C-alpha cells in the first residue's frame, strides 16, 4: 500500500481555513457587544486573585469556559466538525472506556 505514504495532514482536514475564519467572523459579529464584557471579566480575574478571592476567580473562569464551549463549540463549530458536538461527549467516553467482552 504505497499510496498511504502520499497523504499529508492537509488531506484529513474536514474544512478549509477560509471556512474556519468565516465561522469565527460570523461568531464574533453575532456576539459583538459581549466582547467588551469579556474584556472586563478578563481584567477582573487578576484583581480577584490579588484580593485573595481565588474561589470567585475560579468560578468566573469556569463560567467563561462553559460559555465558550456552548456558544462556539456547540452552536457554531459543530456545524463544520461533527466531533465537536459536546452533547454526545459522555456517550463517546463511555464507549471508549468499555472493555471488550464485558458489559
Amino acid at each position: 500500500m504505497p499510496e498511504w505514504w502520499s497523504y499529508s495532514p492537509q488531506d484529513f482536514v474536514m474544512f478549509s481555513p477560509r471556512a474556519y475564519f468565516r465561522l469565527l467572523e460570523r461568531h464574533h459579529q453575532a456576539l459583538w457587544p459581549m466582547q467588551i464584557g469579556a474584556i472586563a471579566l478578563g481584567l477582573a480575574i487578576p484583581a480577584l486573585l490579588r484580593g485573595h478571592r481565588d474561589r470567585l476567580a475560579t468560578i468566573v473562569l469556569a463560567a467563561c469556559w462553559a460559555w465558550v464551549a456552548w456558544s462556539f463549540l456547540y452552536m457554531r463549530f459543530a456545524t463544520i466538525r461533527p466531533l465537536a458536538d459536546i452533547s454526545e461527549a459522555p456517550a463517546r467516553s463511555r464507549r471508549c472506556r468499555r472493555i471488550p467482552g464485558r458489559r
Side-chain angles (χ1 to χ4, degrees):
M1 293 187 166
E3 64 272 0
W4 285 99
W5 299 107
S6 65
Y7 286 111
S8 67
Q10 290 83 11
D11 295 326
F12 297 103
V13 176
M14 298 179 70
F15 47 88
S16 69
R18 184 177 178 198
Y20 180 73
F21 289 119
R22 178 68 179 144
L23 183 72
L24 279 176
E25 180 183 353
R26 289 180 50 216
H27 179 67
H28 289 299
Q29 285 175 348
L31 299 176
W32 157 235
M34 294 183 79
Q35 280 93 350
I36 297 169
I39 291 171
L41 279 175
L43 294 173
I45 290 175
L48 289 172
L49 290 173
R50 267 195 310 265
H52 301 292
R53 296 185 157 219
D54 299 343
R55 184 169 291 196
L56 184 59
T58 304
I59 291 171
V60 168
L61 192 57
C64 290
W65 282 346
W67 169 256
V68 169
W70 178 78
S71 71
F72 182 70
L73 292 178
Y74 183 67
M75 298 302 291
R76 301 279 182 174
F77 192 59
T79 60
I80 62 171
R81 177 79 174 157
L83 291 176
D85 187 3
I86 60 176
S87 65
E88 291 189 13
R92 271 196 298 264
S93 68
R94 280 193 301 273
R95 282 184 292 222
C96 292
R97 285 186 304 206
R98 194 171 65 212
I99 299 171
R102 286 194 166 176
R103 288 187 182 231

